[in-house]
Amino acid sequence: MDHDHFMGLALREAQEASDKGNVTVGSVIVRDGEVIGHGQNRVGTSGDSTDHAEVAAIRDACRTVGSADLAGATLYTTTEPCPMCLGAIHVAGIQQLVLGARHHKIGLTIFGDYSVEKVIELIKSDMTLVTGILEPDCEEMRHRSL
């Protein structure tokens, strides 16, 4: 898979979120080399505190494939998913998570010393994690809404 390409698509989603006045986070879900879902943070415009990019992408992918089972899929997201989103990713059966910016590196402290790795270990998930993809671009994008 071309991680840079798909993260670039997630960055476009983040830019659209920013253009609409939302937090700059975007996500795409890919299976068999095809984008099956995309999402962007819409908390500011929807007034829904759960309207995160990853959840929106999961909902879109489920509609696209006609199933709640997203086994075999990879989720690309511009910023490390929050605990709520990571739970949704796990429940959806997404097997690979590719992320750009990390909470600790951009100064997000709302979740304390949370990391995706800690939760993956806690829930004994076999999810594969890929980090550092377009990380400087993702960090710059996320800083726009800090």
Side-chain angles (χ1 to χ4, degrees):
M1 279 204 175
D2 185 351
H3 292 318
D4 287 352
H5 170 72
F6 292 117
M7 187 62 78
L9 297 177
L11 280 163
R12 283 190 216 146
E13 292 291 332
Q15 182 60 57
E16 285 184 28
S18 177
D19 292 346
K20 295 172 185 171
N22 294 297
V23 172
T24 53
V25 179
S27 300
V28 296
I29 299 176
V30 177
R31 186 159 63 186
D32 299 324
E34 300 291 326
V35 175
I36 60 171
H38 53 88
Q40 53 192 244
N41 183 291
R42 293 189 179 107
V43 171
T45 54
S46 72
D48 177 351
S49 61
T50 67
D51 206 349
H52 291 195
E54 298 88 351
V55 171
I58 290 168
R59 289 175 180 154
D60 188 46
C62 290
R63 283 190 297 270
T64 298
V65 302
S67 172
D69 182 6
L70 299 179
T74 298
L75 187 142
Y76 291 82
T77 190
T78 58
T79 303
E80 184 172 16
C82 74
M84 174 191 73
C85 291
L86 185 60
I89 293 164
H90 176 70
V91 169
I94 294 170
Q95 294 167 311
Q96 184 173 52
L97 173 62
V98 181
L99 57 92
R102 302 300 299 256
H103 288 183
H104 70 277
K105 285 191 73 181
I106 59 176
L108 283 175
T109 60
I110 187 172
F111 302 114
D113 65 353
Y114 161 84
S115 73
V116 168
E117 292 90 345
K118 289 179 183 179
V119 175
I120 287 173
E121 181 181 341
L122 177 70
I123 63 176
K124 299 184 183 354
S125 172
D126 62 355
M127 184 185 306
T128 302
L129 180 63
V130 178
T131 63
I133 304 301
L134 299 182
E135 187 174 2
D137 298 320
C138 292
E139 288 174 354
E140 179 184 330
M141 179 70 71
R142 185 63 179 89
H143 272 115
R144 294 179 191 177
S145 58
L146 288 180

